[in-house]
Structures are given as C-alpha cells and as structure tokens.
Amino acid sequence: MHPIILGTAGHIDHGKTSLIKALTGVDTDRLKEEKLRGITIELGFASLTLPNGQRLGIVDVPGHERFVRHMLAGATGMDLVALIIAADEGVMPQTREHLEICQLLKVKRGLVVLTKIDLVEEEWLELVEEDVRNFLSKTFLEGAPIIRFSAVSGQGTSELLQTLMALGAVVPPKPVSGIFRLPIDRVFTIKGFGTVVTGTAISGQLRVSDLVTIYPPQYKAKVRNIQVHDEYVEETLAGFRTAINLQGIDKFELERGMVVATPDSLRCSLRLDARLEILPSTPRPLKNRREVRLHTGASEQLATVILLSQEELAPGESGLVQFRLSKPLALKPFDRFVIREVSPVITVGGGHVIHINPPVHRRLQKDIIKKLELLESCPEAERIASHLEESAAAGLSRQELVQLLTLSAAELTPILEQLQKDGRIIAYDTENNRYALKTVVAALQSQAVQRLQKFHQTQPLKLGLSKEELRRRLPENLEVRLFNYLLVDLEQQKQVAVEKELVRLAGHQVVLAAEQEELANRLEVLYEKSGLTPPTLKEAGTAVQARGSQLNEIIKLLTGKGLLVKVKEDLFFHQSVIAALKTKLVHYLKEHQEISVPQFKDLTQTSRKFSIPLMEYFDAARVTVRVGENRRLR
C-alpha cells in the first residue's frame, strides 16, 4: 500500500494533539513551552498503522492564530485532513481559517472529528453536529464522515480507524517517477550522525548515498541515512514522512522552507506567474502592488502582487498575477500556495503557480494573459514550445526544460523527439542537448541574411562580414552554438558562403570600377616583385599613387581574397612569396631540425625588420614552434 499523510486542522485547544496521542501513543507536543502552556506551537509528527496494514504519517499542526504559518508548513503533501472540532465549543475562528487553507491547497478528502464529547449532553451534541454540517456546505468536506470521539474514554476510536481505512483506500499515490522533492519542515542534529532534515516527500524517490541539492541556496550534500516512520530504510518514496541524514552540510546552513531535491532539477527565481483566487470571506479587494505573506511548501516570505488581468481582485474572484519575491524560491508549475495579509495576519487567498521563472510583465496585456492561460491548461508539448519561444535566441537545454516543467529528463526526452519529428523544434547542439523553436531559428536566419544584404550595400568592396561582427548584429542573447548552427544551415541552403572568418551572401561578388581594378593590379604586382622586403603601406601608396581610404579598401580586398598576407600591422607579403618561403623553411628544418634567428636571416636574406615578424607569423600559423630562441617544425 502506498503511504498516506493525514494532517490535523482546527481551533486551538480542540483536542488535536490528544486525539493523535490516543491513536498512536505519541505526544506530538515536544517543546517545553508546549508542555507548560498546553498548546501546540510547532509541528508535531507521529505514525499509525491501520488495521488493514495501511501506514499513515500524521502531522499535528498548531491551532492558535499566531501559529497559522506553522500550520501552512505542515499542510504540504497532506492527503487527508482531520478537521477537529470540540463539541463543547463548536466552529471557531481557526476552524474556519484552517478549512479555507485546506481548500486553497486543494486537499480533496477528509473527515471531521467531534472531540470532547464526554463534556456535553447528547442534545447539545446533535445541535453541534448539525451546525458543523451547515458549516461544511459547499466545501470539499461537504458530506464527509463526522466521527464522535472522546480521548478520555476512547469512544469513537474503532469508527475513526474504519473511516480512515475507507478514505485511505481511495487516495491516489503520489508520482514516484519524477524528480525527488522534499520541502524541509524541521532541521536538527543527532550526535554521531550530524544534520537531519524532515518533511513529506512530494514526488520522486531517494536512496541512501544519493547526491542531493538543497534549494534555493543550492548547497550540495549526500544522503547518509533515511528514516521512514522511525525505521531505517534504503529508499523513500513520494508520500512518505521522511527524515534524511545529510552528509557534508551543517545545521546552521539550513532552515524550514528550503527544498531537498534531485541535483539540477529546480530553478530559483525572484518572480512567479500564478492564478490567484481570493477567499469570499476576505474583507476587502486585493489591490495591485499589495505586499503579502506568500506561503508555499514549508516556506514563508514577503511578496508583492502584480495584478496582470484585473485592476483589482474582489472577494471570491480569481485572476492572473505575478509575484515579485523578497528572496528566491524553487518551485514547479502547479505547486499550490496561500497568501496572507502582512497586517492584520489573515488568510486572503491562494492558488497555483503557472510559470516559475517569467520575465517582468506589463499589466493588462492581452497577449500575456492569453499566453498564461495557455500555459495553465495546455499539454506538456505546448508548454515546451512556449518556453522555447520565450527563450528565443538563447535556446534551452534539456536540463533547463526539466527545471521549468514537472517532467524528469527521462519523461521529457520522447516529447522532445516527437517535436523534432513534427518539425517544431531543432536540436542545434546534440552534444549538450540544446533546443530552439524552428520559427525562432527561421526568424534569426532571415535577420542574418538581411544584415548581410545591408552590409554589402554599404560596403561593396568588402568580401564579407566577420562571423563575430555578424553575431553582434543579431539579438544580444543569441547563443554561440545556435549562431554556428544558423550559419551551417544557411550555407547548406546556399544562401550564404563562409570563407574562414568571413560570411557573405552566396551570390555576392566584389565588382571594381576600372580605376579600382587597375589600382588593385598595380598593388598586387608591387608586392609580388618586392618579395621578402615589401614596402610599408605609405611606401606602397606613393608607388601606386593612392592614398587613405582608397588604398586601405584595396589592401583589405586583396587580403580578403588571399592575394596578400598580413604578417603584422603595416606589413603585407604576396601570398606566392609566403608560400615559397614556407616550402623553403620546411625543407631546411627537415634537414637541420631547428633554425635560429641568424640562420633564418641568412635563409631569407632579410634584416630583423622582416625576419622576426616572419618567424612569428609561421609560429602563429602553426608551421613552427619556438624552443628557446630557435624554431622547430610543429
């Protein structure tokens, strides 16, 4: 049988802790102050094996209004709720608030336990029960079993156990195939073992010796031991109340609200897009930019609510919002949350997360509202496409998609493969499993072609644009490997030509005017005849009667065509001269193994002005390698 978590709810001093002690023998009030005051302040935990063998993990929550935040932390992962109502007092303020919280967290099943029945007469008990049924009307507990119970006499124990068995039989199991997640609700140390955290595993499975990450700080740790129901086990599954002994991390580094999870499975964010529902009982509308207390998992923090779809949210209404968080959270889509006023501290509403890492949105924008409504209801394939569209030129890796979705890498892979077959996405980097939306790739390619067209129009004498310069003229967040994919694909389509570091349109040719053609020919002849002692640019300009930009354009053109070789600033050689020298140098080194600077000067019959730059050129061209002051063949 799969594990089930039973949580208590109800007003202070209505007998939640006494009920658990009567069923399990465990007193969940463990703090000294709790013993002295007779109330639950912190979360308490116990376990119970039902007559049919079903194991229940039980979470005892505080009933005092000051400790509702602890109640919210304990509600994480709750499968069933036992709403505790004292027969001598009936429905009280925290009874209402706890029930509203359970509704907001979408707890689907539960029962009511009327406690302290030994303190009232039968007639009074009938009236209280009738009042409770009216109170539960139109809630998820409408029609739920109501068990009369006395912790003093034990009356109702058998009926309560039978009811728990019946309810437990219809609770669906939590997913164990996805990533492991456990919101931390307690942190402590055990002498000889070290740091221990507890919580309810809400998805996945965890084994001893597994590596985990604690979010949001992203601390790394190793699982030393696991306990479930006070027993050491080799693995724990979603749905179990679990204690994890962590190796490699200290207690002071951790706190309630952090999440133990599979490494690289969550993304921390300071913004959340969500669907928010305001309770009908809320006394006033929720205004834009209201600061609230946001409770999710076992965490609590301040957040500012940005209303995206309405000017304000009235009691009973729901709408799309963006939360601007005071500190990072690591959540998944469809995680539940509750919001409470900062002051007075009352529950306002709750809902579910839609997007865990959204950009900043402008309010009341139809396209944003439509996108979020799509994300809220669409299949996973459409969610993937939406996230890839949003990432645009940056693309996303498979692991980044895992962080944004509720799927594990294994569950995600077949969906990605189908999207590729359908021609909707492109795997532009198979080694690192990176993807982009095909429409985004097509738009980027169109932009690249347009940038080249404009470049050729304004710079007709240049052969092409450098790869780096072209990338800079495209969107700033363009991922380098996606840019390389674009060029290769455009080249295969014969739209562009890539020659070393230059990119040009496939049909582009430099067409020189007669005067420019004649100047280019004179310069080429000049450098070819100059051999290993070429002129400076100034000397070349004087020789061919050209100056400034006119000379520079033709020099760059000849260099781009490979007719001239730039050895260093202001020093160019004809390519045939460099080729002949390379042949001569390689032959010399094969015969003599190495060559010194004086020997190179003798070989080339040049001064240091030319020989040193030439030697450095051949080093850079990976023909030679420097060893001390000499060169050898690489």
Side-chain angles (χ1 to χ4, degrees), residues 193-210:
F193 289 88
T195 304
V196 177
V197 299
T198 69
T200 300
I202 57 177
S203 65
Q205 53 189 312
L206 184 73
R207 297 182 178 87
V208 172
S209 298
D210 280 354

mmCIF file of all heavy atoms in Angstrom, residues 193-210:
data_model
loop_
_atom_site.group_PDB
_atom_site.id
_atom_site.type_symbol
_atom_site.label_atom_id
_atom_site.label_comp_id
_atom_site.label_asym_id
_atom_site.label_seq_id
_atom_site.Cartn_x
_atom_site.Cartn_y
_atom_site.Cartn_z
ATOM 1 N N PHE A 193 25.677 11.479 14.142
ATOM 2 C CA PHE A 193 25.142 11.375 12.789
ATOM 3 C C PHE A 193 25.221 12.699 12.030
ATOM 4 O O PHE A 193 25.459 12.727 10.836
ATOM 5 C CB PHE A 193 23.682 10.896 12.821
ATOM 6 C CG PHE A 193 23.542 9.461 13.215
ATOM 7 C CD1 PHE A 193 23.433 9.106 14.554
ATOM 8 C CD2 PHE A 193 23.538 8.462 12.258
ATOM 9 C CE1 PHE A 193 23.311 7.776 14.924
ATOM 10 C CE2 PHE A 193 23.411 7.130 12.617
ATOM 11 C CZ PHE A 193 23.308 6.780 13.952
ATOM 12 N N GLY A 194 24.983 13.806 12.739
ATOM 13 C CA GLY A 194 25.064 15.102 12.069
ATOM 14 C C GLY A 194 23.699 15.665 11.738
ATOM 15 O O GLY A 194 22.719 15.457 12.462
ATOM 16 N N THR A 195 23.630 16.351 10.616
ATOM 17 C CA THR A 195 22.433 17.119 10.244
ATOM 18 C C THR A 195 21.313 16.207 9.735
ATOM 19 O O THR A 195 21.536 15.341 8.891
ATOM 20 C CB THR A 195 22.783 18.145 9.163
ATOM 21 O OG1 THR A 195 23.840 18.983 9.637
ATOM 22 C CG2 THR A 195 21.589 18.992 8.796
ATOM 23 N N VAL A 196 20.106 16.455 10.253
ATOM 24 C CA VAL A 196 18.920 15.707 9.836
ATOM 25 C C VAL A 196 17.837 16.710 9.448
ATOM 26 O O VAL A 196 17.612 17.698 10.146
ATOM 27 C CB VAL A 196 18.405 14.775 10.945
ATOM 28 C CG1 VAL A 196 17.121 14.065 10.501
ATOM 29 C CG2 VAL A 196 19.468 13.757 11.318
ATOM 30 N N VAL A 197 17.179 16.471 8.324
ATOM 31 C CA VAL A 197 16.029 17.275 7.919
ATOM 32 C C VAL A 197 14.831 16.351 7.775
ATOM 33 O O VAL A 197 14.982 15.169 7.453
ATOM 34 C CB VAL A 197 16.274 18.021 6.588
ATOM 35 C CG1 VAL A 197 17.442 18.979 6.723
ATOM 36 C CG2 VAL A 197 16.512 17.054 5.429
ATOM 37 N N THR A 198 13.644 16.894 8.021
ATOM 38 C CA THR A 198 12.433 16.098 7.848
ATOM 39 C C THR A 198 11.438 16.848 6.976
ATOM 40 O O THR A 198 11.500 18.074 6.847
ATOM 41 C CB THR A 198 11.754 15.776 9.197
ATOM 42 O OG1 THR A 198 11.216 16.983 9.752
ATOM 43 C CG2 THR A 198 12.729 15.153 10.172
ATOM 44 N N GLY A 199 10.527 16.113 6.418
ATOM 45 C CA GLY A 199 9.476 16.684 5.592
ATOM 46 C C GLY A 199 8.695 15.573 4.932
ATOM 47 O O GLY A 199 8.949 14.386 5.156
ATOM 48 N N THR A 200 7.743 15.952 4.115
ATOM 49 C CA THR A 200 6.960 14.990 3.345
ATOM 50 C C THR A 200 7.452 15.001 1.915
ATOM 51 O O THR A 200 7.452 16.048 1.265
ATOM 52 C CB THR A 200 5.463 15.346 3.376
ATOM 53 O OG1 THR A 200 5.005 15.346 4.726
ATOM 54 C CG2 THR A 200 4.653 14.340 2.568
ATOM 55 N N ALA A 201 7.907 13.852 1.420
ATOM 56 C CA ALA A 201 8.359 13.762 0.029
ATOM 57 C C ALA A 201 7.145 13.925 -0.883
ATOM 58 O O ALA A 201 6.185 13.169 -0.786
ATOM 59 C CB ALA A 201 9.031 12.412 -0.222
ATOM 60 N N ILE A 202 7.192 14.944 -1.761
ATOM 61 C CA ILE A 202 6.008 15.222 -2.587
ATOM 62 C C ILE A 202 6.125 14.654 -4.001
ATOM 63 O O ILE A 202 5.144 14.644 -4.741
ATOM 64 C CB ILE A 202 5.717 16.736 -2.644
ATOM 65 C CG1 ILE A 202 6.922 17.519 -3.171
ATOM 66 C CG2 ILE A 202 5.309 17.250 -1.291
ATOM 67 C CD1 ILE A 202 6.661 19.008 -3.306
ATOM 68 N N SER A 203 7.315 14.180 -4.384
ATOM 69 C CA SER A 203 7.448 13.495 -5.680
ATOM 70 C C SER A 203 8.770 12.741 -5.693
ATOM 71 O O SER A 203 9.694 13.035 -4.936
ATOM 72 C CB SER A 203 7.403 14.499 -6.844
ATOM 73 O OG SER A 203 8.518 15.362 -6.816
ATOM 74 N N GLY A 204 8.852 11.742 -6.590
ATOM 75 C CA GLY A 204 10.105 11.036 -6.820
ATOM 76 C C GLY A 204 10.468 10.044 -5.741
ATOM 77 O O GLY A 204 9.654 9.663 -4.894
ATOM 78 N N GLN A 205 11.719 9.618 -5.797
ATOM 79 C CA GLN A 205 12.245 8.674 -4.818
ATOM 80 C C GLN A 205 13.693 9.012 -4.512
ATOM 81 O O GLN A 205 14.382 9.625 -5.323
ATOM 82 C CB GLN A 205 12.129 7.234 -5.332
ATOM 83 C CG GLN A 205 12.742 7.005 -6.701
ATOM 84 C CD GLN A 205 12.395 5.624 -7.250
ATOM 85 O OE1 GLN A 205 12.526 4.628 -6.556
ATOM 86 N NE2 GLN A 205 11.953 5.576 -8.498
ATOM 87 N N LEU A 206 14.150 8.602 -3.339
ATOM 88 C CA LEU A 206 15.503 8.927 -2.879
ATOM 89 C C LEU A 206 16.103 7.702 -2.218
ATOM 90 O O LEU A 206 15.426 7.004 -1.449
ATOM 91 C CB LEU A 206 15.448 10.099 -1.884
ATOM 92 C CG LEU A 206 16.794 10.631 -1.388
ATOM 93 C CD1 LEU A 206 17.495 11.408 -2.500
ATOM 94 C CD2 LEU A 206 16.605 11.524 -0.165
ATOM 95 N N ARG A 207 17.384 7.451 -2.494
ATOM 96 C CA ARG A 207 18.075 6.292 -1.928
ATOM 97 C C ARG A 207 19.275 6.746 -1.104
ATOM 98 O O ARG A 207 19.840 7.825 -1.328
ATOM 99 C CB ARG A 207 18.548 5.358 -3.044
ATOM 100 C CG ARG A 207 17.412 4.749 -3.860
ATOM 101 C CD ARG A 207 17.950 3.799 -4.924
ATOM 102 N NE ARG A 207 16.863 3.168 -5.676
ATOM 103 C CZ ARG A 207 16.294 3.705 -6.752
ATOM 104 N NH1 ARG A 207 16.705 4.891 -7.198
ATOM 105 N NH2 ARG A 207 15.317 3.082 -7.373
ATOM 106 N N VAL A 208 19.671 5.903 -0.181
ATOM 107 C CA VAL A 208 20.894 6.138 0.580
ATOM 108 C C VAL A 208 22.070 6.252 -0.385
ATOM 109 O O VAL A 208 22.152 5.509 -1.372
ATOM 110 C CB VAL A 208 21.123 5.003 1.597
ATOM 111 C CG1 VAL A 208 22.494 5.131 2.256
ATOM 112 C CG2 VAL A 208 20.026 4.999 2.657
ATOM 113 N N SER A 209 22.960 7.209 -0.133
ATOM 114 C CA SER A 209 24.154 7.522 -0.944
ATOM 115 C C SER A 209 23.855 8.404 -2.153
ATOM 116 O O SER A 209 24.779 8.787 -2.871
ATOM 117 C CB SER A 209 24.892 6.251 -1.408
ATOM 118 O OG SER A 209 25.361 5.536 -0.295
ATOM 119 N N ASP A 210 22.568 8.727 -2.394
ATOM 120 C CA ASP A 210 22.259 9.659 -3.482
ATOM 121 C C ASP A 210 22.820 11.043 -3.169
ATOM 122 O O ASP A 210 22.914 11.443 -2.001
ATOM 123 C CB ASP A 210 20.748 9.779 -3.681
ATOM 124 C CG ASP A 210 20.157 8.632 -4.481
ATOM 125 O OD1 ASP A 210 20.941 7.805 -4.985
ATOM 126 O OD2 ASP A 210 18.915 8.570 -4.601
#
